[in-house]
Amino acid sequence: MKFYKHSVLFLLFVLFNCYLEAQVHDRSWRRIVNQEEGKWFSTQEAKNIAENVLLYQRDIGGWPKNIQMQIPLSKSEKNKLKLLKSDTKDITTDNGATIQEMLFLSKMFHQIPDEKYKTAFLKGLDYILEAQYDNGGWPQFYPLREGYYSHITYNDDSMVNILKLLKEIKNNTGFYSIKPSTTILKQVEDAFNKGVDCVLKTQYVQNGVLTAWCAQHDAKTLQPAKARSYELPSLSGKESAQIVLLLMDIENPSNDIKNAVVNAVNWFNKVKITGIDVKRTFRNRRITSKKIVNDNSAPPLWARFMELEDNTPFFCDRDGVKKSTLAEIGEERRNGYAWYTREPQEMLNKFDQWEKLNKIEISKKIENEYNVVVAKDGTGDYSTIQDAIYASKAFPYQRVIINIKDGVYNEKVHVFSWNTKISLIGESKENTIVTFNDYFDKINLGRNSTFHTSTLLVEGNDFQAKNLTVKNTSGPVGQAVALSVNANRCYFENCAFTGFQDTVYTAGEGFKQYFKNCYIEGTTDFIFGEATVLFEDCIIHSKSNSYITAASTPENQEFGYVFKNCKLTANNDVSKVYLGRPWRIHAKTVFINCEMGNHILPEGWHNWKKPDAEKTTFYAEYNNLGAGFQPEQRVKWSHQLTKKESKKYTKKNILGDEQKSTKGLWYEN
C-alpha cells in the first residue's frame, strides 16, 4: 500500500511537469511572451524556445516579424537561420517584432541569468537606438526599405511599443530584468525624449487646433502619409489612442504634453460614433461577414480612418478609392481589416484622474486683448497662432498685436477678412517659424488647388508681420504657397518666406503691399500675383533655373511689382534665371538699383509663349548692377528707364494710399 501511494505521487509529479512543459504549445507567440512571468520560464520548453529566439536574431540586433518562435525547428531549419545571421532584410519593429523577443529574453534572464540572453537583449536595444531618425521617429523597417516602410510608423503601435520599452528601461522600473550600462542608459533617455518630441510635432493641426495622429507620417515633413493602397493619409482613431495613453503615462509632463493630451481627448470626444455596432458572422473561427447595425445600447465606436480636413470616416478597398460606408468595399478588405475600434475608451476612462493630477489650465484670463503672446510651451496667452487670431476682435478700432515667441509652429494660419489691423510680431526671424506642407496634388481640389496651399493666408486689411519665417516645406512637388496675401495695405519687415514653386502670392486688384528687408526664395514663379507691391532692400533667391516673377497686373493698374535696392542671388548650380514672365498679358515688373548675380540670363525676360504679351507687358530696369545686369542684351520689348522716368517710382507713388493713422502713413509703419 505504501509503495502504491509513492507510485501514484510520482506519477502525478511526472504528469504535472509534463503539463508545465506542454501547457503553452497551443498558444501564439504573442501570448507566450505576455504571460505572467513565473517558473515556466525556467522549464526546458522555455529554454528550447529561447534558443529559437537567439537563432532568429540577426547580427544587426533585430528580428523579422510574424515568427511563431515556439514552433520546434529541424536541424536543417536551424542551419538556414545560422546562414541568415548577416542578412538585414525584413528586420523590423512592426507587429511587435524585436520588442516581443526582447521581453521574452528579459523574462528568461530573470529566471536563468545566462549571459547569452543578456547579450541578445542589449543587442536588440542597440538596434532600436540605431534605427531612430534624427527627428525622433522610427521607421517600420531598419535598415530602411523603399516605399512607405520608411515612414515614421505609429501603425499597429510600432513606435509606441518602442517608447514604452525605452521608458521602462530609463526609469529603472524593474519591468525588464536586464540593465544596460550608464552610457547606454543616457542614450536610452535621449532617444525617449526625442521620440516624445517627434510625437508632439506630428500631432495634426486641423484649422489651427491640435487633433490626433495618422498611422504613419512622412520622415522628412512629419505630415500624414500614405501606406498601403487602402491606408491613405488620415486621422487614426486606433493608433492615436495608444499614443495618448503613452503621453498620459509620462511623469511630470511638460505643458506641451498636457496640451497635446487635452486637445487629443477633446478630438476623441468630438469624433466618437454612437448608435451603431459592427455585427460579425463567424465560420470556423474566421469572420465571414461584417455589417453595420443600428444599436443605441452599443458602446461608442471610433473609425480607423478619418478625413484630415473634417474628421469624416472613410473606407478603402485595395484600389485606394475612398468610400463613405463599410458596405461599399469588397468582402476581402471589409472582413479582413479593423475599420472600427473601441480602444480610445480606455484612454478616456483614465483622463479624468490624469487631469486632476496634472492641473490643466484650460483657459487663461487675457490681461490685454489687443496685445497678446503666443508661446508653444504654454507660457503665453495662447499656444498656437491660429488660436490667437480666432480670439481677436472683428474689425477692431485699434491694432491687435500678436507677439510670437521663438518656436516652430506647425500650422496653417488664416487671418480672416474681419481680422483687420492684425500684427504678427515674431521674437526673431531665425527662430520664429510658421511651417506647413500643403501642395497642389495634396489639396486636389481641381485646377485652382494652388490657392488653397498657403501656410499663411492673409485676408484682413492693414496686416503687419515682422521678425518671422514662413515656410512651405512640401519640397519640389509643384505649386505650394508659403504666403498668400489677399488684402490691402499689408506690411512685411525682416521676414523670410521659403518654398519652391509659387512661394509668395500677392493678390487683390488695386491692393497695395510692401515688403521691406525680407528674404524670399523659390524655384518657379515664386513671386506671383496681381497686387501692387514694393520690394525694398530684399534678398530674392533662386533655387533652380526658372523664373522669379509671374505678375498678373490688371490692365489699368499703374504699378505691378517694383524691386528697389534688392539683391538677386541663387544656389551655386543655378545659371539660367529669368527676371519674369507674364502670368497675364498686362504684367508690370520693374527692377531699380538692384544687384543681379550671374544667374540672371542676358535676355532677362520671357514672354511665356505669348507673343501678344510683348506689346502689352511693361518690364523695365534702371541703374542695376552686377554680372546679371546686361541692358544691351535684354529682349527688345523690355525697357531701360531714363533717370527722369525712374523718378516716378517713389514709395509714395507706388503705395500712395493716403490713409493715415496717428502714427503716420501705413507704409511708413
Side-chain angles (χ1 to χ4, degrees), residues 278-291 331-332 334-338:
V278 181
K279 184 179 179 181
R280 299 171 177 84
T281 303
F282 294 86
R283 182 182 299 160
N284 297 327
R285 297 185 179 181
R286 294 181 65 87
I287 296 174
T288 58
S289 173
K290 276 185 192 175
K291 66 178 182 178
E331 284 189 8
E332 186 268 335
R334 188 188 336 143
N335 299 333
Y337 199 73

Side-chain angles (χ1 to χ4, degrees), residues 609-638:
K609 297 182 180 179
K610 303 171 185 175
D612 290 345
E614 296 180 8
K615 301 174 183 178
T616 54
T617 59
F618 186 79
Y619 287 153
E621 298 170 81
Y622 176 74
N623 199 38
N624 295 320
L625 70 157
F629 180 53
Q630 300 187 41
E632 67 284 352
Q633 296 191 52
R634 292 296 194 243
V635 293
K636 295 185 182 304
W637 45 276
S638 67

Side-chain angles (χ1 to χ4, degrees), residues 514-530:
Y514 183 24
F515 290 75
K516 181 177 177 61
N517 191 29
C518 290
Y519 173 86
I520 304 172
E521 72 169 29
T523 54
T524 300
D525 304 334
F526 60 93
I527 301 173
F528 71 111
E530 66 267 26

Side-chain angles (χ1 to χ4, degrees), residues 70-330:
Q70 77 279 14
I71 297 176
L73 295 169
S74 67
K75 185 176 181 180
S76 63
E77 287 172 328
K78 290 179 180 180
N79 288 333
K80 286 180 182 179
L81 286 173
K82 290 175 182 176
L83 294 174
L84 285 172
K85 280 291 184 179
S86 61
D87 186 10
T88 59
K89 185 181 178 182
D90 297 334
I91 307 307
T92 182
T93 55
D94 189 33
N95 287 5
T98 299
I99 306 297
Q100 290 181 154
E101 284 73 36
M102 290 175 67
L103 178 56
F104 182 83
L105 291 173
S106 168
K107 291 180 177 180
M108 288 296 300
F109 185 77
H110 192 234
Q111 298 296 324
I112 306 170
D114 191 320
E115 282 296 312
K116 63 185 178 183
Y117 301 146
K118 180 178 180 179
T119 300
F121 178 93
L122 293 176
K123 201 171 181 180
L125 182 58
D126 287 341
Y127 167 78
I128 286 171
L129 295 174
E130 182 183 334
Q132 188 177 30
Y133 285 127
D134 289 341
N135 60 25
W138 274 271
Q140 187 178 109
F141 285 83
Y142 184 82
L144 296 177
R145 289 173 52 179
E146 291 185 3
Y148 68 84
Y149 306 105
S150 63
H151 291 329
I152 294 169
T153 304
Y154 297 122
N155 196 34
D156 292 329
D157 308 322
S158 177
M159 185 162 148
V160 168
N161 288 337
I162 293 172
L163 289 171
K164 285 180 178 178
L165 176 140
L166 297 180
K167 181 176 178 293
E168 297 288 353
I169 293 173
K170 83 177 184 69
N171 289 348
N172 194 24
T173 62
F175 183 81
Y176 291 98
S177 64
I178 300 166
K179 296 181 182 179
S181 67
T182 303
T183 301
I184 299 298
L185 274 175
K186 180 63 171 65
Q187 294 177 25
V188 167
E189 183 175 6
D190 290 344
F192 177 81
N193 292 335
K194 282 173 61 178
V196 171
D197 186 55
C198 180
V199 168
L200 298 178
K201 287 178 180 176
T202 49
Q203 189 172 14
Y204 188 74
V205 179
Q206 184 187 85
N207 298 322
V209 179
L210 290 169
T211 57
W213 291 262
C214 186
Q216 51 280 318
H217 287 249
D218 186 275
K220 294 181 179 178
T221 67
L222 305 186
Q223 293 305 305
K226 178 183 176 182
R228 289 174 288 190
S229 59
Y230 51 90
E231 295 173 328
L232 303 180
S234 58
L235 294 174
S236 166
K238 179 182 185 300
E239 281 79 9
S240 296
Q242 294 303 316
I243 293 172
V244 178
L245 280 169
L246 171 75
L247 294 177
M248 289 171 65
D249 199 37
I250 294 175
E251 302 84 355
N252 302 314
S254 66
N255 286 324
D256 279 350
I257 293 173
K258 292 178 184 179
N259 192 43
V261 170
V262 171
N263 280 283
V265 167
N266 290 339
W267 179 82
F268 274 109
N269 280 318
K270 178 181 178 181
V271 302
K272 68 182 177 183
I273 303 168
T274 57
I276 65 169
D277 204 354
V278 181
K279 184 179 179 181
R280 299 171 177 84
T281 303
F282 294 86
R283 182 182 299 160
N284 297 327
R285 297 185 179 181
R286 294 181 65 87
I287 296 174
T288 58
S289 173
K290 276 185 192 175
K291 66 178 182 178
I292 303 302
V293 296
N294 294 324
D295 185 350
N296 291 327
S297 64
L301 283 169
W302 283 264
R304 181 73 174 264
F305 301 135
M306 287 170 261
E307 294 281 11
L308 295 169
E309 292 77 18
D310 59 11
N311 309 313
T312 302
F314 68 85
F315 311 86
C316 273
D317 223 321
R318 292 189 183 274
D319 58 6
V321 178
K322 292 180 181 179
K323 304 294 183 182
S324 58
T325 66
L326 186 60
E328 293 177 75
I329 64 174

Side-chain angles (χ1 to χ4, degrees), residues 366-373 381-382 388 391-403 420-425 663:
I366 307 300
E367 298 295 331
N368 180 357
E369 60 186 350
Y370 291 100
N371 196 324
V372 299
V373 175
D381 301 304
Y382 304 96
S392 298
K393 281 181 174 291
F395 306 108
Y397 290 107
Q398 68 183 77
R399 182 159 292 280
V400 177
I401 299 173
I402 299 174
N403 302 282
T420 56
K421 299 186 178 72
I422 290 280
S423 289
L424 300 183
I425 312 297
K663 296 183 179 180

Side-chain angles (χ1 to χ4, degrees), residues 350-365:
K350 294 180 177 181
F351 177 70
D352 287 346
Q353 184 61 30
W354 179 89
E355 187 178 27
K356 290 176 184 176
L357 293 173
N358 289 286
K359 299 179 181 178
I360 300 167
E361 189 175 346
I362 300 299
S363 62
K364 297 181 179 181
K365 182 180 179 181

Side-chain angles (χ1 to χ4, degrees), residues 386 389-390 414-420 422 457-461:
Q386 193 62 55
I389 293 169
Y390 285 146
H414 190 172
V415 180
F416 301 94
S417 60
W418 53 86
N419 291 128
T420 56
I422 290 280
L457 170 59
V458 178
E459 294 181 321
N461 291 340

